Amino acid sequence: MRPLVFALLLVAQQSLVGTAHAACTLDKVETITTPGFTIDTKDDHQVVEDTINKIKYGLFCENQPSNVDGIDRWFKIPVKSVGIRTPIGSGFLEALGKTSTLKAAASPSSLTNPCIANVGSLTDLTSTSATDAKLDVVFSNKEEDTDGKLSVRVPSDDSLTPLQLAEWVVFVGAFFNEAKNAAALFKQIKSAYECHTGNMKHLKNPPHAYWVQYQKTGDEKHYQFLTNAYEKNMLADAGATNNTKEAPSPDTDIDKFQSAVEDAEAVFDQTELTKDGKKISEWLENFGYKDAPNSKAAFLKQREIYRKDGYRNKNGNSNFPEFALVRPDLVLQDFISILEPEYNKSYTATWLWKLGSTTESTTIIGPDNYDCKAPWMATVPTCSPRTDFTGETDNKSKGSGKDSEKDSTSEGNDKEKKSGSGRTGKIVGGIIGAIVLIALGFVAMHYYNRHRQQTRLRGLSAGGYGESIGLQNASSYNRV
Ligand SMILES: *[C@@H]1O[C@H](CO)[C@@H](O)[C@H](O)[C@H]1NC(C)=O
Ligand SMILES: *[C@@H]1O[C@H](CO)[C@@H](O)[C@H](O)[C@H]1NC(C)=O
Ligand SMILES: *[C@@H]1O[C@H](CO)[C@@H](O)[C@H](O)[C@H]1NC(C)=O
């Protein structure tokens, strides 16, 4: 009797599994930001179209449909073995909880994703073909003939806004038959982003800020404002005004640049800087500032110059093009934390760091600040809408230049900068004094240890996806 029941159960179970497999439900999702792709779900396949590059990918679970025309490349999903030639691919995988499918990459050692179990074991796609590596798909930012039918493009398109770019997580999710999960994650990202942006709409005195870059081509020096959709929207959404001011033209005219940038309270820099430990001097030299402390420009006196490569792997490669582009809600909060530090005083910027400090403090990615079992890439903190934040309480020295000397001695230490340099911080500190300080000390140390590991980076060699390559070819994949 018993064996028979058991056998019957077994048969029943197997047929259930079999049915589930064959049926393979494909998620029905719709895009919401006009991101440059569409997903059309049919009974037995899905057409995912890259409308920017006009490529149609056909996705199926069981058997490739034979009666469907116009598909450029077919993929059996879920894909299990993934290669990437663009760092954002790693960010999408991490956000989707699929980092373990990553088997190959162009220049693996330049990847910063701390959840790649063994970077050394990844196949290097610069020397091995996708077919030889037995991959199911390779995510690239341009057509790679060597990847043939396995190649899938994800954008490197400067015309995309931060949210449009991030919605591509749904595109990548479709290859795992998890478009619906991906869409749910993106919805949260979008909602948090729009909430924080909305909270910046009531500033009484919106800050002026520019995203700049110095480039030398041959003998010609270029001084640029970056005004692509990503940079423009990110600054504006963080509350900055006049970031859409015409870029100085011609961009070889240093005087025009200096006068255009003069009203900035903060400058975000994307220049390739190589003199580790002396990057601020290098920056000032590049942009022709000889007497910064006496400059008319407030941002120079305050040394409010920031860069986005403050979160790195041990080799010095920036994490920004990998994780940040996937989480614009967090990047936005990084920008807000600099432009409006009073908005959320417990927020510590992840990617942005202050170039104008006395030390070059950056954070090395590791277990202290990234838990692969509870990854913050896949967790979106909620944001409450508010209309009361006018940015006026901080009385930050917009243009006054008064605090500059004090700042330049203490700002090397992020902790001091966060806890005590604003005027409110000082008043509160003075009144409540020691009690709060002790309590805060414990909290801060705890938070701090978890979140940031201050390191002085010297003699770094940036290669692969890191700042040197990415920043040089800002238009290719490291545009931000
Ligand atoms: C923006 O810049 C222009 C000059 O480029 C200036 O006339 C205008 O007053 C500025 N607007 C604000 C709100 O600062
Ligand atoms: C402020 O930042 C902290 C730390 O990142 C975060 O946990 C919290 O949700 C933020 N608060 C608001 C209102 O956004
Ligand atoms: C900020 O500055 C304004 C005018 O300069 C002043 O009236 C106000 O009291 C200051 N607020 C704080 C919190 O210091």
Side-chain angles (χ1 to χ4, degrees):
M1 224 26 213
R2 230 181 234 173
L4 185 61
V5 171
F6 194 68
L8 278 174
L9 275 175
L10 210 70
V11 168
Q13 192 195 7
Q14 295 235 315
S15 69
L16 267 179
V17 168
T19 317
H21 219 217
C24 169
T25 320
L26 292 159
D27 290 343
K28 281 201 170 60
V29 292
E30 271 173 32
T31 55
I32 46 184
T33 66
T34 329
F37 72 89
T38 56
I39 297 186
D40 188 9
T41 305
K42 312 283 191 199
D43 283 345
D44 60 348
H45 73 284
Q46 227 167 13
V47 180
V48 180
E49 182 174 3
D50 171 347
T51 54
I52 300 171
N53 300 299
K54 313 252 179 300
I55 308 171
K56 281 187 184 170
Y57 305 98
L59 311 183
F60 62 92
C61 296
E62 209 51 37
N63 301 305
Q64 179 179 327
S66 52
N67 54 348
V68 180
D69 291 333
I71 300 295
D72 294 291
R73 280 160 229 170
W74 284 102
F75 291 86
K76 186 170 162 66
I77 61 166
V79 291
K80 297 203 167 71
S81 197
V82 176
I84 56 169
R85 290 185 186 274
T86 176
I88 196 174
S90 158
F92 285 137
L93 293 183
E94 179 56 16
L96 292 165
K98 301 290 177 193
T99 292
S100 62
T101 65
L102 185 63
K103 303 294 179 210
S107 313
S109 65
S110 51
L111 289 173
T112 66
N113 183 342
C115 306
I116 300 170
N118 184 358
V119 173
S121 72
L122 295 186
T123 302
D124 190 339
L125 286 176
T126 54
S127 50
T128 308
S129 79
T131 324
D132 287 349
K134 300 197 165 42
L135 300 175
D136 296 331
V137 63
V138 181
F139 293 107
S140 306
N141 63 352
K142 54 182 193 291
E143 287 299 293
E144 288 287 349
D145 292 340
T146 47
D147 298 337
K149 289 276 185 193
L150 298 179
S151 182
V152 170
R153 281 180 80 156
V154 289
S156 58
D157 190 319
D158 285 336
S159 66
L160 296 182
T161 66
L163 282 178
Q164 287 175 323
L165 184 56
E167 190 166 8
W168 281 74
V169 74
V170 180
F171 174 97
V172 174
F175 286 80
F176 295 94
N177 198 14
E178 291 197 15
K180 215 170 225 167
N181 287 342
L185 174 68
F186 176 67
K187 243 186 188 157
Q188 289 178 44
I189 292 171
K190 178 169 178 282
S191 149
Y193 185 100
E194 285 169 347
C195 170
H196 289 296
T197 298
N199 292 349
M200 291 300 117
K201 297 284 184 249
H202 313 280
L203 299 179
K204 287 221 177 76
N205 190 11
H208 293 207
Y210 306 102
W211 203 315
V212 305
Q213 176 170 261
Y214 165 83
Q215 271 185 316
K216 199 169 171 201
T217 49
D219 281 343
E220 242 175 24
K221 296 172 175 177
H222 302 273
Y223 312 93
Q224 299 162 331
F225 282 10
L226 300 179
T227 54
N228 292 317
Y230 189 96
E231 293 91 1
K232 219 174 182 170
N233 282 277
M234 184 57 76
L235 280 182
D237 291 343
T241 185
N242 256 7
N243 63 77
T244 51
K245 184 151 75 179
E246 283 295 298
S249 166
D251 70 2
T252 47
D253 187 331
I254 191 168
D255 295 326
K256 275 195 176 153
F257 173 87
Q258 289 193 359
S259 90
V261 82
E262 195 176 289
D263 66 356
E265 284 130 58
V267 161
F268 299 93
D269 176 59
Q270 178 153 306
T271 306
E272 184 193 356
L273 297 174
T274 55
K275 295 182 183 158
D276 288 305
K278 289 189 186 149
K279 287 185 174 166
I280 181 66
S281 325
E282 188 182 0
W283 192 91
L284 293 170
E285 198 180 310
N286 284 342
F287 286 98
Y289 291 110
K290 297 213 169 62
D291 187 14
N294 294 309
S295 160
K296 273 188 282 179
F299 80 88
L300 277 177
K301 289 191 229 171
Q302 311 286 327
R303 292 185 156 205
E304 295 288 328
I305 304 164
Y306 295 85
R307 288 173 64 82
K308 64 177 176 34
D309 55 357
Y311 195 46
R312 312 182 186 193
N313 68 4
K314 284 193 207 105
N315 303 329
N317 300 105
S318 171
N319 170 263
F320 197 96
E322 219 169 307
F323 281 10
L325 298 179
V326 179
R327 289 299 303 275
D329 58 317
L330 297 177
V331 179
L332 181 69
Q333 289 179 81
D334 266 25
F335 274 85
I336 293 174
S337 74
I338 288 170
L339 296 174
E340 294 298 337
E342 298 292 311
Y343 175 62
N344 182 353
K345 282 189 274 192
S346 56
Y347 185 85
T348 311
T350 303
W351 295 280
L352 293 178
W353 65 285
K354 190 167 188 173
L355 176 64
S357 315
T358 45
T359 55
E360 294 185 355
S361 280
T362 53
T363 305
I364 301 289
I365 301 163
D368 286 347
N369 47 48
Y370 199 91
D371 180 352
C372 297
K373 295 211 173 72
W376 52 250
M377 274 294 278
T379 319
V380 184
T382 51
C383 159
S384 312
R386 50 189 286 198
T387 53
D388 62 314
F389 184 74
T390 59
E392 293 294 275
T393 51
D394 61 337
N395 274 7
K396 84 185 139 79
S397 41
K398 285 187 177 175
S400 85
K402 258 200 153 172
D403 281 342
S404 65
E405 270 165 61
K406 219 171 285 157
D407 276 359
S408 64
T409 55
S410 68
E411 69 205 2
N413 187 326
D414 247 9
K415 214 185 291 181
E416 267 174 75
K417 185 180 81 189
K418 290 290 167 193
S419 61
S421 75
R423 184 181 289 190
T424 315
K426 276 169 203 149
I427 293 167
V428 170
I431 297 169
I432 312 176
I435 308 162
V436 171
L437 271 179
I438 291 164
L440 273 180
F442 280 109
V443 175
M445 283 308 286
H446 175 74
Y447 178 73
Y448 204 72
N449 284 337
R450 274 191 36 159
H451 193 73
R452 274 185 97 88
Q453 193 177 32
Q454 291 294 325
T455 319
R456 283 185 120 184
L457 290 171
R458 289 189 188 274
L460 290 172
S461 59
Y465 300 126
E467 60 171 1
S468 62
I469 286 184
L471 295 175
Q472 240 156 15
N473 307 315
S475 60
S476 59
Y477 53 54
N478 198 5
R479 77 185 137 308
V480 210

